[in-house]
Every structure is written in C-alpha cells, then in structure tokens.
C-alpha cells in the first residue's frame, strides 16, 4: 500500500459520520512506504497491453513500451511476448495472428480469451464460461485452517475427474440446482462443500 492510499482510507473513515481508522502498520513503516502507488502498467500483466499495441501499430512492442513515462521492466515485456507467441496470438516476427486479432478485442486475459474462443468453436461453451468465470474472479472454494482435510475431501467428492476445472463446473451446477430449491438448500450446499456463495453469484 502507498502513503497516498493509506491517507485516502483515513479520510474515508469519517466521511459520512464520525469514524475510526486502525492502521496495521507503525509510523516507521508508514515512513518507508512509497508516496504513490506505481502506475498500473507496472502492476498488471502485460499480455493484453501488448495485444492492444500490436492491434494499433506495426511498431515493435518493446519500442512502444520503452517510450512510456514509466516503462515496464524489459524482462517482463519479453516474458509477455513469449507467452503470446506460445498462445499463438503472435507469430515469430511479432505480428498478430488471426487468433491474436480476436484476443485483442476481448476484455479478458489472453489465456482465458483463447479458452472462450475454442470453447465456442468446439461446442462446449457453457462449461468453459463457468471455468473462465471462476478463474477470473474470487476462488469458489475456501479452506478453513482448522478443517483443511474435510474441505479437500468435500471438494474431491464433487467430481469424479481429477481436474480442478471440471470440479468447478460440478460445484457451480450443484449450487445452481440447490439455489433453485430455495435459500436453505443453497446455504446447506455451500456449507457442505466449503463453497463461497458470493463467488458463485
């Protein structure tokens, strides 16, 4: 957290009514925090940004990003480009492939975007949408410290497959069925399988 973000939180605590703010750090730690949060370009994966740059320009991505006010690390750029080549969104000469052109238009992570496109092409979009949703949001399963073994057993009992992705699909389908029967069934299902109701929603 930056000093600016900590100060903003302090201001929010008394905005509409008298409030209190409790900091989980000392004054010395606060003094060592960076004054501002680093730019988003330095905090987020670069794959989607690289796709967007190539969709708008023929210039090499590293050259475009190098001209930014706060350029990302060259190794991070190289890793993003290598991942996009592995996904076949870029060819060997760093040109957008037809797949890359589609991925550049999708507001999701490149891997999730490719999964969605192939799910649509292969006629299995419904489970793929569930998997994509569960990968992009908060975790469906929670694991209490005092009951991790039971949580793991419950998770495994949802699906005969050893795939975590298919287990998420089974969890979502089970929850949707329980929800259609009413709130008590939904709550019981989530408790039995250690599922987050908010994440499922």
């Amino acid at each position: 957290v930056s000093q600016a973000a900590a100060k903003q939180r302090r201001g929010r605590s008394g905005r509409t009514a008298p409030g209190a703010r409790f900091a989980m750090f000392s004054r010395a730690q606060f003094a060592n925090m960076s004054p501002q949060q680093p730019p988003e370009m330095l905090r987020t994966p670069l794959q989607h940004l690289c796709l967007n740059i190539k969709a708008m320009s023929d210039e090499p991505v590293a050259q475009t990003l190098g001209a930014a006010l706060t350029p990302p690390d060259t190794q991070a750029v190289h890793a993003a480009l290598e991942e996009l080549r592995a996904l076949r969104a870029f060819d060997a000469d760093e040109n957008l492939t037809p797949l890359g052109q589609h991925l550049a238009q999708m507001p999701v992570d490149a891997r999730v975007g490719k999964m969605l496109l192939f799910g649509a092409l292969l006629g299995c979009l419904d489970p793929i949408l569930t998997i994509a949703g569960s990968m992009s949001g908060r975790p469906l399963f929670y694991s209490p410290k005092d009951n991790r073994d039971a949580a793991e057993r419950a998770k495994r009992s949802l699906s005969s497959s050893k795939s975590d992705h298919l287990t998420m699909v089974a969890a979502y389908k089970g929850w949707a069925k329980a929800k259609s029967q009413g709130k008590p069934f939904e709550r019981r299902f989530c408790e039995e399988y250690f599922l987050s109701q908010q994440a499922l929603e």
Side-chain angles (χ1 to χ4, degrees), residues 155-178:
K155 181 179 177 181
R156 273 187 265 135
S157 72
L158 272 170
S159 173
S160 57
S161 166
K162 291 186 178 181
S163 163
D164 283 347
H165 294 140
L166 294 178
T167 302
M168 287 188 253
V169 173
Y172 182 79
K173 284 183 176 176
W175 168 76
K177 185 179 177 184

Side-chain angles (χ1 to χ4, degrees), residues 72-83:
D73 182 57
T74 52
Q75 287 181 325
V77 175
H78 179 71
L81 293 172
E82 284 303 310
E83 185 173 342

Side-chain angles (χ1 to χ4, degrees), residues 141-142 144 147 150-151 154-155 175 178 183-197 200:
F141 294 92
Y142 64 88
N147 214 357
K155 181 179 177 181
W175 168 76
K183 278 280 181 204
F185 291 93
E186 178 187 10
R187 197 176 307 113
R188 196 176 312 127
F189 183 83
C190 289
E191 287 170 2
E192 184 180 346
Y193 293 103
F194 297 87
L195 290 160
S196 164
Q197 198 171 329
L200 286 160

Side-chain angles (χ1 to χ4, degrees), residues 9-183:
R9 291 277 140 217
R10 182 178 61 196
R12 293 242 173 106
S13 67
R15 192 170 56 153
T16 58
R21 170 254 199 181
F22 299 92
M24 303 301 284
F25 47 82
S26 66
R27 286 185 176 90
Q29 284 173 307
F30 179 78
N32 289 328
M33 290 177 187
S34 62
Q36 301 291 330
Q37 193 172 19
E40 188 175 0
M41 191 187 298
L42 304 181
R43 293 182 281 120
T44 58
L46 295 172
Q47 290 85 346
H48 203 266
L49 182 60
C50 292
L51 284 169
N52 287 336
I53 288 170
K54 285 312 274 186
M56 293 185 287
S57 164
D58 290 330
E59 215 174 84
V61 171
Q63 184 180 327
T64 304
L65 289 174
L69 289 173
T70 49
D73 182 57
T74 52
Q75 287 181 325
V77 175
H78 179 71
L81 293 172
E82 284 303 310
E83 185 173 342
L84 289 168
R85 283 188 193 101
L87 284 171
R88 303 216 172 125
F90 281 179
D91 63 16
D93 298 323
E94 201 184 290
N95 296 313
L96 276 178
T97 62
L99 172 64
Q101 290 170 354
H102 287 293
L103 293 176
Q105 295 173 21
M106 299 175 74
V108 293
D109 176 77
R111 289 167 296 182
V112 173
K114 182 175 179 178
M115 185 173 70
L116 290 169
L117 287 170
F118 275 73
L121 288 169
L122 298 172
C124 56
L125 187 58
D126 187 55
I128 292 296
L129 285 169
T130 302
I131 293 167
S134 59
M135 286 172 65
S136 303
R138 60 175 68 172
L140 294 187
F141 294 92
Y142 64 88
S143 184
K145 286 182 184 176
D146 57 341
N147 214 357
R148 286 181 199 260
D149 292 339
E152 194 56 39
R153 278 194 306 275
K155 181 179 177 181
R156 273 187 265 135
S157 72
L158 272 170
S159 173
S160 57
S161 166
K162 291 186 178 181
S163 163
D164 283 347
H165 294 140
L166 294 178
T167 302
M168 287 188 253
V169 173
Y172 182 79
K173 284 183 176 176
W175 168 76
K177 185 179 177 184
K179 186 178 180 182
S180 69
Q181 295 171 321
K183 278 280 181 204

